């Protein structure tokens, strides 16, 4: 009702729910969790997007050498972005999870890997104010924003995941960008389906490339 009355250019909803755990460990399959967020989006008639809480939760574990969590059995990303990317608003932190409240803070040493992921993938990524202005991450985040812009990545961009294991993660987004997370020894020449010449734009070693 509110969206129909206000006709916003962009609307984001927040459906907050717990992910699935077993014995204190995050389960690999989070389909039920992302389905509940998609049900919420459907209830708005698709007029609102929603925060991709599923992707945030999965990244908490995946970036600790559990990159296999970033691909589902169908070869898609495991969060809401894997099912409905144009309505997935990806994020690492907000005023509830981090900042002064700190209910579910993102692993600080993995922040830039997290941004390397959401800023090179479909969905609509959100930058947390504290990270940009208070954490000293303005320059590396801006580099990733530039990479996204130069490659023409948008909320509906396609994703082809080449590797997702304990050593790292490799994916191509759209036609013009390939990215790597982790210590995995990889470059585009090692992927048969990646023809043409590729120029290295960012190289942060074992963090991301």
């Amino acid at each position: 009702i509110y969206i129909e009355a206000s006709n916003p250019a962009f609307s984001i909803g927040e459906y907050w729910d717990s992910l699935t755990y077993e014995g204190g460990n995050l389960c690999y399959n989070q389909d039920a969790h992302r389905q509940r967020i998609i049900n919420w989006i459907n209830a708005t008639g698709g007029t609102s997007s929603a925060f991709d809480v599923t992707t945030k939760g999965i990244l908490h574990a995946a970036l600790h050498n559990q990159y296999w969590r970033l691909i589902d059995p169908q070869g898609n990303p495991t969060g809401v972005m894997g099912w409905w990317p144009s309505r997935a608003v990806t994020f690492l932190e907000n005023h509830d999870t981090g900042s002064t409240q700190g209910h579910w803070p993102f692993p600080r040493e993995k922040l830039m890997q997290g941004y390397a992921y959401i800023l090179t993938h479909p969905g609509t990524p959100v930058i947390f104010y504290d990270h940009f202005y208070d954490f000293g991450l303005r320059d590396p985040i801006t580099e990733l924003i530039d990479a996204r812009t130069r490659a023409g990545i948008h909320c509906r961009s396609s994703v082809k995941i080449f590797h997702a294991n304990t050593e790292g993660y490799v994916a191509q987004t759209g036609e013009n960008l390939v990215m790597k997370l982790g210590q995995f020894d990889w470059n585009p020449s090692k992927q048969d389906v990646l023809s043409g010449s590729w120029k290295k734009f960012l190289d942060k070693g074992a963090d991301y490339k």
Side-chain angles (χ1 to χ4, degrees):
I1 293 169
Y2 175 80
I3 291 169
E4 288 176 354
S6 58
N7 192 29
F10 190 64
S11 171
I12 312 172
E14 183 179 69
Y15 183 86
W16 195 268
D17 200 2
S18 294
L19 281 79
T20 305
Y21 292 85
E22 191 173 289
N25 297 313
L26 185 71
C27 294
Y28 164 70
N29 188 331
Q30 297 294 333
D31 285 357
H33 185 270
R34 59 176 167 172
Q35 184 62 58
R36 291 193 291 273
I37 295 175
I38 283 176
N39 291 345
W40 186 93
I41 299 169
N42 277 326
T44 74
T47 59
S48 179
S49 57
F51 285 111
D52 192 347
V53 181
T54 317
T55 290
K56 170 179 166 58
I58 290 169
L59 283 172
H60 275 246
L63 298 182
H64 289 93
N65 299 321
Q66 298 177 26
Y67 301 99
W68 45 267
R69 294 182 179 275
L70 298 176
I71 185 171
D72 71 13
Q74 289 72 47
N76 299 315
T78 43
V80 176
M81 78 157 79
W83 281 357
W84 202 347
S86 66
R87 293 295 180 267
V89 176
T90 51
F91 74 110
L92 303 183
E93 209 82 281
N94 63 28
H95 60 278
D96 290 321
T97 67
S99 196
T100 54
Q101 299 205 71
H103 292 308
W104 192 25
F106 200 83
R108 186 156 183 167
E109 74 281 6
K110 297 296 182 180
L111 281 172
M112 285 314 304
Q113 267 200 341
Y115 278 119
Y117 180 81
I118 68 172
L119 286 168
T120 59
H121 279 63
T124 303
V126 172
I127 309 299
F128 188 41
Y129 182 100
D130 294 25
H131 296 162
F132 197 75
Y133 291 105
D134 300 333
F135 278 40
L137 300 178
R138 182 173 186 151
D139 289 345
I141 290 174
T142 300
E143 287 178 336
L144 289 166
I145 294 171
D146 289 344
R148 181 182 184 89
T149 303
R150 285 181 57 174
I153 305 303
H154 54 81
C155 66
R156 293 180 174 87
S157 291
S158 61
V159 179
K160 171 65 176 174
I161 300 172
F162 295 120
H163 301 280
N165 52 38
T166 56
E167 294 185 326
Y169 171 89
V170 177
Q172 178 180 9
T173 307
E175 298 295 324
N176 303 316
L177 186 144
V178 288
M179 61 87 69
K180 175 191 81 84
L181 297 174
Q183 61 187 359
F184 193 58
D185 181 21
W186 185 91
N187 63 67
S189 65
K190 296 186 177 184
Q191 207 70 45
D192 293 339
V193 297
L194 290 175
S195 58
S197 60
W198 292 84
K199 180 181 178 182
K200 189 186 298 182
F201 185 67
L202 288 173
D203 187 352
K204 304 297 182 180
D207 279 343
Y208 56 91
K209 184 182 295 186

